[in-house]
Every structure is written in structure tokens, then in C-alpha cells.
Amino acid sequence: MQSQDALLSKDELYLFNVGQLFQAYRTLGAHPIELDGQKGVRFAVWAPHAQSVGVTGDFNGWSEVGHSLVRFGTTGVWTGFIAEADVGSRYKYAIVDSSGANRLKADPFALQSELRPNTASIVNRIDGYEWHDRDWMERKKRNPPYDGPMLIYEVHLASWRMDAPEHFRTYEQLSIELVEYAQTMGYTHIELLPIMEHPLDRSWGYQTTGYYSATSRYGPPDGLKVLIDKCHQGGIGVLLDWVPGHFCKDDHGLRLFDGTALYEDEDYRRAEKPLWGTLAFDFGKPEVQSFLISDAVFWLDIYHFDGLRVDAIASMIDLHFDKPDELKTNNKYGTSEHLEALDFLRKLNETVFRHFPEALMIAEDSSSYPAVTSPTYLGGLGFNYKWNMGWMNDMLRYMETHPDQRSSHHSLITFSLMYAFSENYVLPLSHDEVVHGKRSMLHKMPGSYEEKFANLRLFYGYWMTHPGKKLLFMGGEFGQYDEWKDFAGLDWELLQYPLHDSMHRYVRHLNRVYLDTPSLWELDHNPEGFQWIDVNNAAQCILSFLRIGKKEQSFALSVCNFSNQSYPRYRIGVPSPGRYRHLLNSDEADYGGSGISIPKEVSAESVPMHGQPCSIDVPVPALSFGLWEKIG
């Protein structure tokens, strides 16, 4: 066995032990190296309470004892160099735990894992891929996202396209098909449901065992780099759904790693996540902080992801979240705030933005915790975006209401503007809303078959012009009728039917209009970018408002008729005289609508209306969205 000092840095392990090693993936795990002229693999694993640790794998016939590792001082890390191992070698750690029991554990820092149901780790290199996205990486540094368009396509790679059950597209295939599709549709970003290694397909990646392993379902890890590289070359950013809140209990994973609650909280009441059957991390433990924050940095550094959507914030910061009384605990102040989790999130965001100032850190948070997107130095959590779950819930409840009943629920579509600028929001229409009996977006809509499509086109128009960035789950763009089936591909065959094909064209056009209309996104997070024209017309269920851009007299007028009554003439107040161009009408025959004729341009008249000095008189079809732009 070589000298430990030749294998690991004391300084790096010190930083790991105090929660300050933020590239721990370069220190721990399995790394091919050359030592004293001999090639092999350096292994390092944190197991402070183990009696002994060995490495067993296909290079030693899966020996019960394996090659022995040596404890590195008081760091709790075991290390060793194995000349017989190489890139591609499969291995596990053979641990004699604190009680003397034998455990076979996958490497928490493994860079690759076997395809389920196998669970071994695989030696791989951390670097070596030749990237071709320099222009993209430089461009995003110059263009902060706040005053730009953001239109996110949320994707579950397994079921986006699937020829047969478990016949998944490879990363390389997706780098062609998915990228071309996203470009055609006009999406600015793709967000991937978790692609970290996980044992159960139907967990969608939310119950992870390999935090540093890109899942082998779609091929080797470099294939994922190809996919991201191609996205960037095509002008598309890539976000990763990241799950630091909990991990699954599978025996080969993190649970009781060295016979003790190492990664999970020692208090079982805090550790248990009964809703999901998982365990919460111990966010106050320094080594766990190094592990998790390094993982966030890893995906941004090694894989060039442009940002992370951080899952289930509400469950992390509330000690009582979805827990029965016997599992509820309080903090030292007697309240349910998880103080260590809050500190961890602040530290996470401070670290990420120190290394990647241009990153997107998006909180999936259903709680009312304040200042989620405020800087930590102002007392915030330090994210730069948060999902607007309140808007989503209110709007889906409203849209599911029959048009005849909507007038009594008018506040559901207006209340969001009371808080729209309190955080930097993303408006999510995500996978969570189209599973578990919730029905697809199209199927949620009331009325006849044709009315369902009209309602959905209207809803998408309102969504696209409401302040905030946008996210749509795959299938929503062509009116998937069945709710999401994670075990099968999307129902692409629906595009042979006229109304689904029309919906697809409408969404593509709506996306393009959004991208080409700066007033819809330049002041997304500024109250000056929004102005109601008519907010109080509950009786007719008609809303109108302005989205205002940075240039003088730059604005777009959104008109939404949520009723099933058409109005051949409807007067709408506007702030200035001149000509107004019709940008989009969801009721066009080409989109499956009634085809009521709408003039391409109108001139504002000096007729005061809705508190404005001028007005336009235009047709407003039933269940329709219309967008007008001042042009002169």
C-alpha cells in the first residue's frame, strides 16, 4: 500500500470534514491515476464508523474482503490504490460496519453505475470529453436571464419517445431528435427530470442512489455530455431537476452506510419521509454539506448544465411537512422551521453563484416562506427563481370550472398580480399536474371536445403573457389527452388528428410570438412591466392588460375571454393613439377555432375607456385569447 499522503491531500480532507470542499468529486470516489509509474485507480470513501473497508469488484473476482483500504488519520476517509482496476471496472465497497456486520455499498461518488437491476459502481474518468459549446458558455455570461425570454420544455427522457416498453432512446439519439424538436418549437431551455442513477424507473429519478452517476438507461455518461453539447450548439440551455431533500433506502445506497446514520439524520423522526418512503439528509453535518454542494457544482462543472431546479424545498424547510404527529419535531426555538436545511440552502446558493454567477437556481417551493429569490445577504434563501405554485393551482382550478360558473371565481385569475413581483417567478405547467389522476392539461378543460381545445389555447395565451418565465411539460404542446404515462412514449400519433395538429401549430406560433415580443419578458420581474386595462369584468369573464417593454411606447395588449359568449364588437381602452397590430388570435381556423374574422390592424380612437384616453373596437370571440401590439 502506498503512502496515504501520495494519494490524498490532507487539506482537501480537512475541507471535506468542515463542510467546505465543493469539488469533492475530484477527491473522493474512484479515479484512474498513475502512481510511481504504475497505472491503476485511487479509491476514497467516507465511512468514519466502519471497522474495515475493502474494494471488491470484477478485478478481484468479487472477493468478500476485496482489496483493503486504509483509514486516513481521523478524517473518516478510507483510501487505497489498486493497480488491477481500470476504467470500466465494476466495484463496490465491502464494509465491516460499526456493529461488525458486512455491507456491500455502491460508491456515493461513483461517476457511472450499472444499469438496473444491477447496482455496482463503474470506474470512469471525470474529464476528457471535448466540448464544442464555448460560444454558448461565453454568451450566457453576457446575457443575464432576468430581462430575457425563458421558455422551458420539461422532459422525461424515457417517455418522450419510446418505441416499446423499456426501449429507451440513447443520449446520442436524443441529441439529434430532442434538440431539433426543441429548436423547431422555439423553446429556450430543456429541463430534464432527474437523470442521476436510480433503481426504479417509475420513481422518475426522484429516489436517487447514484448522485454523481448519469443514469445508464440511455447509455454511457459521455452521451449525456453530447446531448447537452448539442443543445448548447443549437442555442438551447439545459436545466437539471436536482433532488437534495431525500434519498431512497435501497441497501446498496446511502442508508446506514457504515452501520450508522451517516448521510441521514440520526434522529429517525427527522430522517423519515413517510410520504415517499425515503430518508432526509442530515443538512447540519459538514460532510453531508460537502457531498451535496459538490454534487450541485459537479453537474454545472463537469456536465455544463446551465442550472438546477431544486426539488421539494417545502419538504426540506418544514420539519412537520407531511409527517404524522409521532414524527414531528421542533427546532431549538420550538417552531417547525428546519434551521439546518435553511442554512444549507443559503450555503448552496452562495457557493454555486460564487463558482457559476450565470447559473439558474430554481426553487420548486410550494410553501409561503418569504424571500426565496432574495440574496442571502438580505436574509433571503439566495435562489434566483422560484416556481409560482400559487398561480398554477389557482389557474388550473379556474380553468376546470365551466365557463357558465367562472364569473363567481374571477379572483382566481387576478389574485396572482398581488404578489407577482415579490419573487422572481417561473410559471410551471409541470409533470406533477398531469399524473396520479389529475388528468392531462387538455382533459382538465371543460366542455365539448372542441371547447376543450379552445379553453386550452386561451389558457396558454394568458399563461404566456402573464409576468414570469414559462415551463411546460412535454405533451402539453399538442394536447396529449391521456395523462402522462411514464411507462410509454407520448401519444405522438395524435398529431394525425386535426385538432391536435392545430394545437401543435398554435403552441409553436405562440412560442415564436413570445420570443419576438420583448415587452412580454423585458420587465418580467418589475411592476412597471405590467398594467391592468380591465381587471373587474367578472360578469363577462373578460380580462385585458398590458405588458410593457423597456422602450418608450413599447407594449403588448392581452385580451382574454374566458366566457363562451362571442362579442362582434368590444371596446378596450389603450394608453395612446396610433395603430395596433394583431399578433395572435387563438380562435383562428388554422388553430382549430371558429375563424371569426379579426382585422390585422386597427387605429385607436379618442374614446376614453377603462380609464385610458383612447380605445380600440375589435371582435372578441368566445373562449379566445388575442394579442395586440402598438406599432405606430
Side-chain angles (χ1 to χ4, degrees):
M1 183 65 64
Q2 297 289 331
S3 165
Q4 291 179 317
D5 291 344
L7 295 175
L8 292 177
S9 161
K10 290 181 180 179
D11 292 340
E12 289 178 356
L13 293 185
Y14 169 78
L15 292 174
F16 177 74
N17 288 145
V18 298
Q20 295 294 326
L21 185 64
F22 302 134
Q23 289 188 331
Y25 48 88
R26 296 189 180 275
T27 301
L28 286 93
H31 295 277
I33 64 171
E34 185 172 319
L35 188 65
D36 297 334
Q38 188 174 30
K39 292 182 178 180
V41 177
R42 182 197 70 201
F43 292 88
V45 61
W46 179 54
H49 305 105
Q51 296 184 24
S52 67
V53 178
V55 183
T56 182
D58 49 19
F59 44 81
N60 57 24
W62 293 97
S63 162
E64 290 186 9
V65 177
H67 285 72
S68 295
L69 302 184
V70 176
R71 189 189 298 269
F72 196 112
T74 60
T75 64
V77 173
W78 299 73
T79 186
F81 175 78
I82 301 177
E84 293 84 353
D86 199 355
V87 172
S89 294
R90 297 176 302 142
Y91 69 98
K92 280 188 178 181
Y93 292 113
I95 297 174
V96 178
D97 71 17
S98 57
S99 66
N102 294 315
R103 295 177 179 270
L104 275 180
K105 290 289 188 177
D107 189 346
F109 285 88
L111 301 174
Q112 186 176 354
S113 302
E114 282 189 298
L115 177 64
R116 51 89 182 105
N118 297 322
T119 58
S121 302
I122 301 175
V123 177
N124 207 332
R125 296 188 184 279
I126 203 165
D127 299 309
Y129 178 81
E130 184 179 350
W131 289 90
H132 301 89
D133 63 348
R134 176 176 294 179
D135 288 347
W136 169 268
M137 300 295 279
E138 292 299 321
R139 187 164 64 249
K140 71 177 182 180
K141 293 178 182 178
R142 300 191 299 268
N143 298 294
Y146 308 103
D147 56 358
M150 188 184 301
L151 188 54
I152 304 167
Y153 187 51
E154 188 187 32
V155 176
H156 178 245
L157 290 181
S159 58
W160 182 67
R161 289 189 186 274
M162 190 185 300
D163 296 323
E166 299 188 17
H167 284 225
F168 306 131
R169 294 290 202 275
T170 65
Y171 291 120
E172 284 86 351
Q173 289 173 312
L174 291 162
S175 74
I176 299 171
E177 297 176 2
L178 179 56
V179 174
E180 288 180 354
Y181 180 77
Q183 288 177 308
T184 299
M185 292 299 295
Y187 293 107
T188 64
H189 293 76
I190 293 170
E191 181 176 310
L192 303 181
L193 268 62
I195 51 77
M196 291 72 78
E197 196 58 80
H198 51 284
L200 179 65
D201 290 359
R202 304 199 67 181
S203 78
W204 315 329
Y206 288 96
Q207 296 193 7
T208 300
T209 49
Y211 271 80
Y212 292 80
S213 295
T215 179
S216 296
R217 287 166 174 79
Y218 319 117
D222 274 4
L224 177 58
K225 295 177 182 178
V226 172
L227 171 58
I228 296 169
D229 205 356
K230 292 292 187 182
C231 282
H232 288 171
Q233 292 173 57
I236 297 170
V238 191
L239 308 175
L240 175 62
D241 211 337
W242 187 62
V243 190
H246 61 119
F247 57 89
C248 61
K249 296 181 178 181
D250 293 57
D251 284 343
H252 69 285
L254 300 178
R255 182 176 67 94
L256 297 174
F257 190 80
D258 62 358
T260 67
L262 193 61
Y263 288 89
E264 62 269 38
D265 202 296
E266 293 180 4
D267 186 338
Y268 78 95
R269 296 172 300 171
R270 290 193 175 194
E272 288 290 338
K273 292 278 192 181
L275 180 67
W276 299 313
T278 56
L279 294 171
F281 283 99
D282 183 349
F283 299 109
K285 190 174 293 182
E287 293 89 350
V288 172
Q289 294 173 15
S290 288
F291 174 79
L292 286 174
I293 296 176
S294 289
D295 190 56
V297 171
F298 170 81
W299 294 106
L300 301 170
D301 175 20
I302 302 302
Y303 282 89
H304 288 203
F305 276 99
D306 299 288
L308 305 175
R309 177 269 200 186
V310 183
D311 182 60
I313 296 295
S315 76
M316 295 174 63
I317 65 176
D318 182 1
L319 291 167
H320 293 178
F321 186 88
D322 277 331
K323 290 199 173 184
D325 288 343
E326 63 270 19
L327 292 181
K328 290 180 179 178
T329 60
N330 292 325
N331 61 35
K332 61 184 178 182
Y333 302 113
T335 66
S336 66
E337 285 187 342
H338 196 326
L339 302 178
E340 294 82 3
L342 291 166
D343 287 343
F344 163 77
L345 291 172
R346 295 185 187 102
K347 184 175 180 178
L348 164 72
N349 286 317
E350 289 171 354
T351 304
V352 166
F353 288 124
R354 185 161 61 247
H355 288 84
F356 303 95
E358 70 284 359
L360 294 168
M361 293 295 288
I362 304 172
E364 189 268 316
D365 179 24
S366 59
S367 77
S368 58
Y369 193 86
V372 172
T373 59
S374 294
T376 58
Y377 61 81
L378 294 178
L381 288 187
F383 290 93
N384 52 8
Y385 280 98
K386 172 182 174 175
W387 277 18
N388 193 334
M389 309 292 277
W391 172 88
M392 178 272 297
N393 283 310
D394 285 349
M395 279 308 303
L396 291 182
R397 180 181 167 195
Y398 181 83
M399 293 306 303
E400 290 179 40
T401 302
H402 192 276
D404 291 344
Q405 306 297 320
R406 284 175 177 168
S407 60
S408 60
H409 299 279
H410 194 68
S411 63
L412 289 174
I413 50 172
T414 61
F415 179 66
S416 60
L417 268 300
M418 299 294 290
Y419 62 87
F421 306 104
S422 63
E423 304 273 10
N424 297 332
Y425 281 119
V426 173
L427 307 183
L429 299 175
S430 76
H431 69 281
D432 275 332
E433 311 318 317
V434 294
V435 290
H436 303 319
K438 296 178 185 177
R439 299 173 297 167
S440 69
M441 284 295 159
L442 180 65
H443 200 183
K444 293 177 193 290
M445 302 296 117
S448 67
Y449 186 63
E450 290 77 11
E451 288 172 333
K452 287 181 181 294
F453 281 93
N455 270 294
L456 190 58
R457 293 192 301 269
L458 162 61
F459 176 38
Y460 284 167
Y462 176 73
W463 164 66
M464 196 65 78
T465 53
H466 187 288
K469 308 309 182 185
K470 324 298 176 189
L471 178 142
L472 181 66
F473 184 57
M474 62 184 199
E477 73 274 19
F478 60 80
Q480 171 100 2
Y481 194 80
D482 290 343
E483 68 176 22
W484 174 39
K485 303 180 289 289
D486 53 52
F487 53 86
L490 294 178
D491 295 329
W492 293 101
E493 65 274 11
L494 289 175
L495 289 174
Q496 66 185 301
Y497 298 97
L499 280 176
H500 292 276
D501 185 50
S502 297
M503 173 62 76
H504 201 223
R505 283 198 305 276
Y506 171 71
V507 170
R508 184 167 62 244
H509 188 194
L510 180 64
N511 291 351
R512 291 298 176 185
V513 168
Y514 168 77
L515 295 176
D516 294 339
T517 310
S519 57
L520 295 180
W521 35 261
E522 281 184 331
L523 297 175
D524 247 336
H525 312 301
N526 189 327
E528 295 179 1
F530 180 89
Q531 180 184 341
W532 285 115
I533 295 296
D534 187 8
V535 65
N536 295 315
N537 192 353
Q540 291 178 296
C541 299
I542 296 179
L543 276 180
S544 52
F545 55 88
L546 299 179
R547 293 302 311 280
I548 302 166
K550 291 182 177 180
K551 295 181 180 178
E552 186 176 357
Q553 292 294 303
S554 170
F555 59 82
L557 169 66
S558 180
V559 182
C560 304
N561 181 4
F562 292 97
S563 78
N564 51 18
Q565 176 67 49
S566 289
Y567 298 92
R569 298 186 63 183
Y570 189 88
R571 188 166 290 277
I572 305 167
V574 292
S576 60
R579 291 180 298 126
Y580 289 76
R581 177 175 59 195
H582 192 219
L583 294 178
L584 186 66
N585 168 29
S586 70
D587 191 55
E588 285 186 20
D590 189 48
Y591 303 141
S594 68
I596 292 175
S597 178
I598 307 289
K600 294 296 183 184
E601 290 185 15
V602 295
S603 294
E605 302 173 282
S606 297
V607 178
M609 191 70 182
H610 299 136
Q612 304 296 322
C614 305
S615 58
I616 58 175
D617 190 358
V618 297
V620 177
L623 299 175
S624 74
F625 161 77
L627 187 65
W628 298 81
E629 182 180 45
K630 175 76 181 298
I631 58 173

